[in-house]
Amino acid sequence: MSETARVTWYGHSTVWIEDSGTRLLTDPLLRDRLAHLRRRRGPTPRLPGAPDAVLVSHLHADHLDFASLRRLPRDTPLVLPAGAARLVRRALGSAAGPCVELAPGDTTTIGGLTVAAVPAAHDGGRGPWSRHRAPAVGYLVHGRARTWFAGDTGLFDEMGKLGPLDLALIPVGGWGPTLGHGHLDPAAAAEAARRAAAAWAVPIHFGTFWPIGCDRVRPDRFLPPGEDFARHAGTVSPGTRVRVLHPGDSFAVTRS
């Protein structure tokens, strides 16, 4: 068995991807507090070094966190949804690294990897207080492994065109007691793994940040989504093996 890629999940949608000598960081949320949210599980992320690039899936504050981006070296390239660079440059100023905008179907090369933007069924606005919009995307990372970082999404028809995949990084929950339109719960995430023909899946976007008091109101929405996803995938997508990680844990994708 040979290792093709290694991922480390730091909680929420922040994943460190190593493949073909290149290191990517997705939707970095590197601090312990964001507005009313608190990190309730896992350590504060300590990255093993500087990433070769950052992949940002959409504009929501828990995925595009300017305070976290400021903690990275200033020359770190940022791969963004088409239309997002203006907001990023305005917010970060001289701290903004080179910005590459991708719409679904567009690709860019980062070190030994090809990164392609793919669709995502999710709201593309920054928030109700902002006029900034950019269509949400996911990313396919092509190296020794074929990895799909879904970002934040609901089910969409084109999922069947993504695979076969070596690894899918799939959102299975959220940061509060309810999930609105454009999200995957554990059952829908299992269907996404099936459509994308994922050999391995790691659930993300659950069990990390939580509003104070919500663990008493809906504790079932915090930790269980990861194991629930694994259970659903065993029925819906039996060809997919699931690895449920604790924030800070790593997983190596291997191929015989």
Side-chain angles (χ1 to χ4, degrees), residues 68-207:
S68 294
L69 292 177
R70 290 189 184 97
R71 299 184 180 190
L72 302 174
R74 291 193 175 192
D75 59 350
T76 303
L78 306 177
V79 181
L80 307 165
R86 181 180 179 185
L87 169 63
V88 169
R89 292 189 179 111
R90 178 180 297 177
L92 296 180
S94 61
C99 295
V100 177
E101 293 188 328
L102 298 182
D106 294 342
T107 64
T108 190
T109 300
I110 303 167
L113 303 176
T114 298
V115 176
V118 297
H122 193 69
D123 177 68
R126 176 66 173 168
W129 65 89
S130 173
R131 295 181 180 180
H132 291 287
R133 297 191 63 82
V137 298
Y139 294 99
L140 275 180
V141 178
H142 302 259
R144 296 187 66 200
R146 182 178 173 91
T147 300
W148 173 38
F149 168 62
D152 211 352
T153 187
L155 292 170
F156 56 88
D157 292 339
E158 295 93 333
M159 279 182 176
K161 300 178 182 179
L162 300 176
L165 303 171
D166 295 297
L167 175 64
L169 304 167
I170 301 183
V172 302
W175 50 255
T178 61
L179 284 176
H181 178 73
H183 295 86
L184 296 173
D185 62 15
E191 171 62 14
R194 186 196 67 79
R195 293 186 185 185
W200 282 97
V202 170
I204 62 173
H205 203 267
F206 80 101

